[in-house]
Amino acid sequence: MTAPHPQSLVEDYLARLHAAAAGLPNDRRAELVEGITEHLESARAAGAAADDAAVRTLLERLGDPAEIVAAAWDLPDPSRPAPPARMTWQQWKNQPGTTLEGCALLLMTVGSLFLAWPVGVWLMWQSKKWTRWEKALGTFVVPGGPIAGFYLRILLPREHCPRSSNLIATTGPSPSSPPLQCSGGLPHWLTVSLTLMMVVLPLVVAALLWYIAKRRSRNDPRASPYAVVAPAAAWTGLEIAVIALLGPGALMLYGIGPLLGLMLLHTSPQWSSREKRRATTLMVFTVLAGAGFGFALLPRLNGGWAWTPLLAYVLPAVASMTAAISLYLALKRRVAAQSSPE
Amino acid sequence: MEPGATRISQLRRGVLEYCVLSLLQESELYGFDLVKRLSDVEGLVTSEGTIYPLLSRLRREGWVSTTWAESESGPPRRYYALTDEGRTALAGFTDEWVRFRDSVDLLLLKGKP
């Protein structure tokens, strides 16, 4: 018989806890399992679960699952006083549901049509169900909300196509007048795809934030977008989708594919935070560097706009596919290492 | 088990939640950190896991509130913070406890050096 893997010790413990807690009300059971799971994950991050012996000590100190659940039963539900007829802002903000979060997201999406986006963002930062990183995501993708795309459309320099009618009016038709030529500004296709992205992205982010808030208000660790303890290394639909969106998706679904892929990547328990950060940084850096380089240099180069496809399409796609390949190899290696006999 | 041990464990259970509140007085803490600090105090916690149901109850009672924050490594963590109601409850208990402890000491340790 081989010694059990530390990971399987933890999984076994959590399974026993889950079973022992079966009788507790749903939300209390979920909160308990989530707490213990996070405890184990924190211990691992602190290096207190490096080997078998350490994991055993850790679990021993936590105590028998049955004992923990018994303690949960011993604690009666607090006798809550009836909620006052008029809640203070503090009480309303801290109530367990997702009213605040729903209002914030509505204002940030639909409300942006009526310029209520800043109010939505302010509400979002009041919420306690999102982390700072998640709130920053909501704020910066995209400032102004979906409506910002339309303003961008107005503000962006447009291709200037002189109309021959002006010429006709002033000088009359002339066989020597130059052929119609468009000059200056961004090419039409780029303006359209930028506008589209700026409308779609905030909606995607809002949907993700809503999902997170909903799960957290239900204390639902298993359906949480951040699964706390990764099960044994394995490919699930989520990981395959990540690779597909970052790889081929970069070519076929311009902008949206990689962005969705990145978001899904951050919800997968299969990759470490470092791997996730590396992939994200690579892609964000490439896009920013390409955009900065493009806006600074292209207008000054003669015929510089011809480079736009390289900067706006090819480079980001290459970065995205590089990320996809490195993520694929990392997980493939882990799956292989796990299945090989120790 | 010594005859007095069960009684002490009942007493401990009643007092433990106020120990949690007092740890949260200075700054908010996440579960693992909080549990570690409690365990570092001799004789207060027997099995660390039982602190989580306690935290859950304190939250439902409205004495602590929770927030999520990024961690250096791994997924976001749930942080516990003392609410105003919790602060009031802790202050009330502390007053009572000092009086209670003094009275018990007075009787138990009567005549002892």
Side-chain angles (χ1 to χ4, degrees), chain A residues 195-210:
Chain A
T195 314
L196 246 180
M197 267 175 67
M198 289 188 70
V199 173
V200 173
L201 293 191
L203 297 178
V204 174
V205 170
L208 179 77
L209 290 179
W210 177 242

Side-chain angles (χ1 to χ4, degrees), chain A residues 9-216:
Chain A
L9 282 176
V10 167
E11 274 170 39
D12 178 56
Y13 183 87
L14 287 176
R16 279 194 291 143
L17 179 67
H18 224 273
L24 282 175
N26 269 342
D27 57 330
R28 284 176 60 185
R29 178 181 62 200
E31 187 174 358
L32 177 62
V33 176
E34 186 207 62
I36 301 283
T37 313
E38 192 196 293
H39 181 95
L40 293 169
E41 183 62 32
S42 301
R44 187 157 71 174
D51 54 26
D52 243 47
V55 171
R56 275 179 213 282
T57 315
L58 182 69
L59 296 179
E60 221 160 85
R61 294 185 58 151
L62 270 177
D64 187 39
E67 196 185 338
I68 298 174
V69 174
W73 279 116
D74 276 353
L75 294 165
D77 255 335
S79 49
R80 280 204 77 74
R86 279 176 60 107
M87 271 196 269
T88 66
W89 165 237
Q90 281 295 331
Q91 286 165 332
W92 190 74
K93 204 167 82 170
N94 293 335
Q95 60 184 331
T98 47
T99 321
L100 172 76
E101 288 72 22
C103 290
L105 292 176
L106 266 182
L107 285 171
M108 286 166 60
T109 51
V110 182
S112 86
L113 291 173
F114 314 104
L115 303 181
W117 184 83
V119 186
V121 168
W122 179 76
L123 270 183
M124 174 181 71
W125 283 91
Q126 301 297 313
S127 165
K128 294 190 163 182
K129 299 214 169 58
W130 291 308
T131 69
R132 236 173 274 159
W133 190 86
E134 287 152 2
K135 290 172 183 171
L137 186 75
T139 310
F140 293 109
V141 182
V142 170
I147 197 70
F150 292 103
Y151 288 113
L152 182 86
R153 189 79 206 268
I154 297 166
L155 292 177
L156 277 179
R158 257 186 277 192
E159 278 182 304
H160 181 64
C161 303
R163 292 242 167 247
S164 50
S165 57
N166 286 343
L167 297 172
I168 297 166
T170 50
T171 63
S174 150
S176 66
S177 68
L180 279 185
Q181 222 173 13
C182 298
S183 60
L186 297 176
H188 184 65
W189 64 270
L190 188 61
T191 327
V192 170
S193 55
L194 274 178
T195 314
L196 246 180
M197 267 175 67
M198 289 188 70
V199 173
V200 173
L201 293 191
L203 297 178
V204 174
V205 170
L208 179 77
L209 290 179
W210 177 242
Y211 177 79
I212 293 174
K214 236 17 217 178
R215 290 296 180 272
R216 289 208 176 130

Side-chain angles (χ1 to χ4, degrees), chain B residues 36-68:
Chain B
K36 220 169 49 183
R37 285 172 198 231
L38 276 177
S39 310
D40 284 348
V41 183
E42 175 79 30
L44 209 52
V45 182
T46 43
S47 59
E48 296 178 343
T50 54
I51 293 170
Y52 286 96
L54 187 65
L55 281 170
S56 159
R57 196 184 90 104
L58 289 175
R59 186 184 63 76
R60 278 175 288 130
E61 184 116 18
W63 288 358
V64 303
S65 63
T66 60
T67 50
W68 275 265

Side-chain angles (χ1 to χ4, degrees), chain B residues 85-96:
Chain B
E85 287 162 61
R87 218 171 279 279
T88 315
L90 176 62
F93 178 81
T94 309
D95 286 349
E96 289 289 329

Side-chain angles (χ1 to χ4, degrees), chain A residues 252-272:
Chain A
M252 291 183 285
L253 303 160
Y254 177 73
I256 313 267
L259 194 104
L260 270 178
L262 267 190
M263 287 185 158
L264 290 181
L265 166 69
H266 282 273
T267 70
S268 161
Q270 293 291 351
W271 284 291
S272 72

